[in-house]
């Protein structure tokens, strides 16, 4: 790492570097060593496996990794990333997007790791969802350690801090009670015992019998039960659990959504009571669905990673996650094409940028400072227009058309374009072609299309996209006798999109005609005029 790069990183306004500098300030002399060995800076992400993970879950790990990579630019201190699953939580409601809902209903209230898997593939519902998440993370090659709340509670790893919770119950209650309504205050306890009778995570008042031994008493189905909270026989309410975990593990960085600001504040106070310290972290805005509603695992209204990767490459979802994390963004199928094209736009700019500019380029953070080489000779949007007009096209046919527009157009020359064609064919088939509806031209549009056809016929072989675009532009400005002309160029382009492509928006027409071929484009014009 060069001194110039480290200096630029210390000044960069890119959000991963701003976040990394928080940790640099937290431990300016390095995190204190233990037993003579360096103590890693601990990054953590949290996930509740009460439903199938969505892109929002995946993106928290992705963004945290970007901060971790940025920190490595500033410091040589070792780091770890812990992806923590809250799979001891009780199932509060049955998700809408899973099978065997009746079976799950019978297990409401039990820890997620002790409920059968409705998909029938894993030992528990939590195990299924944890495996799905880990598959996402492994596919991207993340450097992380997976952690299970069930394992940490059951193994006794949290036992010392759980004793501290009982010792400091009054202080924790003083933090939590003012945030609760009256009736909830009466039944609240930071400790949730697991019923030895029903297996349900109980929300009942708890009496501390012996804090050092971890013993409590509570009422369970009318019977007073005395039970240890150690070894997985209880868990904490999630806000005290968050604070306890920060203190027990020494977490230094954990980002969270804007909806958890108050919860994180309470967790930080509880961590301090337990001898810990609230971690640094980015507060990000939430992803919304197409209707502007919060994405929910139980509703399944989010976009899954599998769906995104069907229609867009891996880099595009990382690009979308990077951009403006403090701004609420909709997450649905319709955002994919623009994310793909903007990724390639930024990647194309990277090589010519100065080091300071590179640190602010999203591809720097997506590829940890080493973006791959290679170019994309056509936009994803243009590909979508092509495959949509072609109808039931094959990949070989698409490559045939690309030969009109791209020199040496072969899969070997452009392997990333080859993979992008697969996505374009899928996206066009599923979301574009079904919506196309070409209308008949009317009024001045007829004369304009007739002139476009004549001008295209007069072009020499090998006319460039720019030459064609100039023709389209001049026709839009022309008058056609008594018919007059278009009020604005936008009206002309809109007419082209609606009559030739069947859409309200479209590509740069010079590029599209060059790609589709002059002969094929003239056929589109003839079909429109005949309509």
């Amino acid at each position: 790492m060069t001194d110039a790069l480290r200096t630029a990183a210390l000044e960069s306004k890119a959000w991963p570097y701003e976040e990394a500098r928080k940790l640099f300030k937290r431990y300016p002399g390095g995190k204190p060593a233990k037993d003579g060995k360096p103590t890693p800076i601990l990054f953590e992400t949290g996930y509740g496996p009460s439903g199938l993970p969505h892109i929002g879950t995946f993106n928290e790990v992705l963004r945290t990794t970007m901060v971790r990579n940025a920190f490595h630019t500033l410091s040589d201190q070792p780091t770890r990333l812990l992806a923590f699953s809250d799979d001891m939580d009780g199932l509060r409601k049955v998700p809408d997007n899973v099978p065997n809902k009746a079976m799950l209903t019978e297990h409401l209230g039990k820890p997620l790791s002790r409920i059968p898997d409705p998909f029938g593939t894993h030992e528990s519902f939590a195990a299924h969802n944890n495996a799905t998440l880990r598959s996402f993370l492994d596919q991207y090659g993340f450097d992380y350690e997976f952690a299970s709340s069930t394992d940490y509670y059951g193994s006794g790893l949290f036992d010392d801090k759980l004793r501290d919770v009982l010792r400091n119950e009054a202080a924790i209650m003083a933090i939590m009670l003012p945030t609760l309504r009256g009736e909830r205050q009466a039944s609240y306890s930071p400790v949730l015992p697991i019923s030895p009778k029903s297996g349900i995570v109980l929300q009942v008042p708890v009496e501390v019998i012996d804090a050092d031994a971890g013993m409590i008493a509570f009422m369970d189905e009318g019977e007073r039960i005395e039970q240890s909270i150690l070894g997985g026989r209880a868990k904490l309410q999630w806000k005290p659990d968050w604070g306890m975990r920060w203190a027990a593990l020494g977490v230094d960085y954990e980002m969270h959504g804007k909806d958890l600001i108050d919860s994180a504040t309470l967790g930080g106070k509880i961590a301090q009571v337990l001898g810990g310290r609230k971690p640094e972290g980015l507060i990000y805005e939430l992803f919304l669905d197409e209707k502007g509603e919060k994405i929910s695992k139980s509703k399944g209204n989010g976009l899954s990673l599998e769906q995104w990767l069907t229609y867009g490459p891996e880099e595009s979802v990382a690009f979308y996650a990077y951009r403006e994390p403090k701004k609420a963004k909709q997450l649905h199928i319709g955002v994919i094409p623009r994310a793909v094209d903007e990724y390639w736009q930024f990647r194309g700019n990277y090589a010519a940028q100065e080091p300071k500019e590179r640190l602010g380029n999203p591809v720097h953070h997506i590829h940890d400072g080493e973006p791959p080489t290679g170019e994309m000779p056509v936009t994803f949007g243009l590909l979508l227009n092509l495959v949509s007009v072609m109808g039931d096209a094959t990949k070989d046919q698409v490559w045939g058309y690309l030969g009109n527009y791209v020199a040496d157009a072969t899969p070997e020359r452009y392997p990333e374009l080859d993979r992008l064609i697969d996505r374009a064919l899928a996206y066009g088939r599923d979301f574009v072609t079904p919506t196309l509806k070409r209308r008949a031209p009317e009024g001045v549009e007829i004369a304009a299309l007739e002139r476009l056809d004549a001008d295209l016929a007069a072009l020499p072989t090998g006319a460039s996209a720019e030459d064609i675009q100039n023709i389209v532009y001049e026709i839009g400005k022309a008058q056609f006798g008594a018919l007059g002309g278009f009020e604005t160029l936008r009206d002309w382009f809109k007419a082209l999109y609606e009559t030739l492509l069947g859409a309200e928006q479209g590509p740069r027409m010079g590029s599209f005609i060059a790609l589709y071929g002059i002969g094929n484009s003239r056929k589109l014009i003839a079909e429109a005029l005949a309509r």
Side-chain angles (χ1 to χ4, degrees):
M1 182 188 307
T2 66
D3 291 338
L5 179 60
R6 179 167 287 176
T7 299
L10 286 168
E11 300 173 352
S12 176
K13 296 186 182 302
W15 68 261
Y17 285 109
E18 291 181 338
E19 292 300 300
R21 287 196 293 270
K22 293 179 183 178
L23 287 167
F24 199 51
K25 293 177 181 177
R26 184 180 179 100
Y27 298 116
K31 193 170 183 179
K34 289 184 179 179
D35 301 325
K37 298 180 180 179
T39 304
I41 300 290
L42 182 59
F43 293 79
E44 182 181 65
T45 62
Y47 162 62
S50 58
L52 297 174
H54 52 64
I55 282 186
T57 308
F58 166 82
N59 281 350
E60 188 168 304
V61 180
L62 180 69
R63 286 169 170 169
T64 302
T65 296
M66 290 177 176
V67 177
R68 185 186 182 193
N69 291 339
F71 179 76
H72 290 160
T73 307
L74 301 175
S75 174
D76 296 326
Q77 295 180 70
T79 65
R80 295 170 57 209
L81 171 57
L82 198 65
F84 200 95
S85 171
D86 289 305
D87 54 14
M88 274 279 283
D89 289 352
L91 179 65
R92 290 181 294 176
K93 61 179 180 179
V94 177
D96 296 332
N97 58 341
V98 298
N100 294 317
K101 294 183 177 63
M103 180 274 290
L104 287 178
T105 301
E106 297 176 1
H107 295 278
L108 284 173
K110 295 180 181 178
L112 295 163
S113 56
R114 302 179 189 179
I115 295 174
D117 176 18
F119 296 90
T121 59
H122 291 76
E123 63 271 21
S124 70
F125 187 33
H128 176 277
N129 295 337
N130 287 341
T132 302
L133 176 65
R134 295 179 73 174
S135 175
F136 288 173
L137 305 185
D138 293 342
Q139 183 173 347
Y140 262 76
F142 285 119
D143 175 21
Y144 74 100
E145 302 165 40
F146 181 77
S148 159
S149 179
T150 297
D151 293 343
Y152 275 47
Y153 272 99
S155 68
L157 194 150
F158 285 154
D159 281 357
D160 285 345
K161 285 303 175 188
L162 291 176
R163 293 187 183 95
D164 284 344
V165 168
L166 296 186
R167 295 182 185 112
N168 293 278
E169 183 193 31
I172 294 173
M173 291 288 279
I175 292 170
M176 292 301 305
L177 289 181
T179 69
L180 304 174
R181 294 188 298 271
E183 63 181 52
R184 187 72 185 95
Q185 288 182 348
S187 62
Y188 183 84
S189 167
V191 176
L192 302 175
I194 296 176
S195 169
K197 298 181 178 181
S198 65
I200 290 175
V201 181
L202 299 176
Q203 301 224 22
V204 294
V206 164
E207 174 191 347
V208 178
I209 297 177
D210 186 338
D212 292 337
M215 292 298 297
I216 60 170
F218 55 92
M219 298 300 295
D220 183 9
E221 298 180 7
E223 180 183 356
R224 176 183 165 87
I225 302 291
E226 294 186 3
Q227 180 173 294
S228 171
I229 69 170
L230 308 179
R233 282 168 285 190
K235 70 174 300 292
L236 300 184
Q237 296 272 7
W238 83 271
K239 293 170 188 176
D241 181 272
W242 210 7
M244 180 276 294
R245 192 161 76 222
W246 288 342
L249 303 180
V251 177
D252 297 304
Y253 188 91
E254 182 166 358
M255 60 176 62
H256 59 80
K258 187 178 180 179
D259 58 330
L260 298 181
I261 291 176
D262 291 342
S263 300
T265 299
L266 294 174
K269 292 178 179 179
I270 291 170
Q272 190 171 7
V273 166
L274 299 176
R277 182 180 178 188
K278 182 183 178 183
E280 310 296 334
L282 172 75
I283 300 173
Y284 58 81
E285 271 286 3
L286 305 178
F287 282 122
L288 308 174
D289 66 11
E290 196 167 7
K291 299 177 182 178
E293 298 178 355
K294 178 184 174 182
I295 287 176
S296 165
K297 291 190 296 291
S298 61
K299 290 182 180 178
N301 61 331
L303 185 65
S304 73
L305 188 63
E306 297 100 324
Q307 286 174 311
W308 186 297
L309 296 182
T310 300
Y311 307 111
E314 289 86 349
E315 298 87 352
S316 61
V317 66
F319 177 88
Y320 195 74
Y322 174 86
R323 299 297 301 277
E324 302 176 308
K326 295 183 180 181
K327 179 180 178 181
K329 293 185 292 187
Q330 290 186 321
L331 182 62
H332 54 82
I333 290 292
V335 306
I336 295 176
R338 183 175 179 181
V340 174
D341 283 337
E342 288 188 345
Y343 163 78
W344 277 100
Q345 179 183 351
F346 278 91
R347 180 165 149 181
N349 294 338
Y350 190 81
Q353 290 178 325
E354 296 295 325
K356 184 177 180 180
E357 294 175 310
R358 288 183 174 185
L359 296 185
N361 188 322
V363 301
H364 176 84
H365 301 278
I366 292 169
H367 299 289
D368 193 16
E370 297 182 359
T373 57
E375 59 179 321
M376 186 61 63
V378 296
T379 65
F380 191 51
L382 190 56
L383 272 180
L384 289 177
N385 288 121
L386 173 64
V387 301
S388 301
V389 169
M390 291 173 67
D392 189 16
T394 67
K395 193 172 184 179
D396 287 342
Q397 289 173 327
V398 175
W399 272 113
Y401 279 102
L402 286 168
N404 298 326
Y405 188 72
V406 181
D408 191 21
T410 65
E412 293 74 24
R413 172 73 176 82
Y414 296 104
E416 289 176 296
L417 174 57
D418 189 58
R419 293 189 289 272
L420 195 60
I421 291 173
D422 290 323
R423 268 81 175 215
L425 287 168
Y427 193 99
R429 177 193 66 234
D430 294 343
F431 300 107
V432 181
T433 301
T435 68
L436 298 182
K437 186 177 182 181
R438 298 179 179 89
R439 66 170 176 83
E442 53 191 30
V444 70
E445 297 169 352
I446 297 173
L449 286 173
E450 289 173 342
R451 176 170 166 182
L452 177 59
D453 180 62
D455 288 354
L456 290 178
L459 281 174
T461 302
S464 69
E466 196 61 34
D467 292 337
I468 299 171
Q469 183 68 19
N470 288 336
I471 288 174
V472 175
Y473 186 80
E474 291 301 321
I475 292 173
K477 296 190 297 181
Q479 299 292 313
F480 301 94
L483 291 172
F486 295 97
E487 290 188 13
T488 67
L489 278 171
R490 179 176 294 180
D491 293 333
W492 167 226
F493 293 129
K494 188 171 185 288
L496 287 170
Y497 301 147
E498 293 178 350
T499 60
L500 302 186
L501 305 182
E504 294 182 357
Q505 299 178 350
R508 197 169 187 265
M509 286 306 296
S511 298
F512 173 77
I513 293 172
L515 174 60
Y516 195 50
I518 289 177
N520 288 317
S521 299
R522 291 187 66 204
K523 289 179 183 178
L524 286 180
I525 294 171
E527 292 170 0
L529 291 172
R531 214 170 286 133

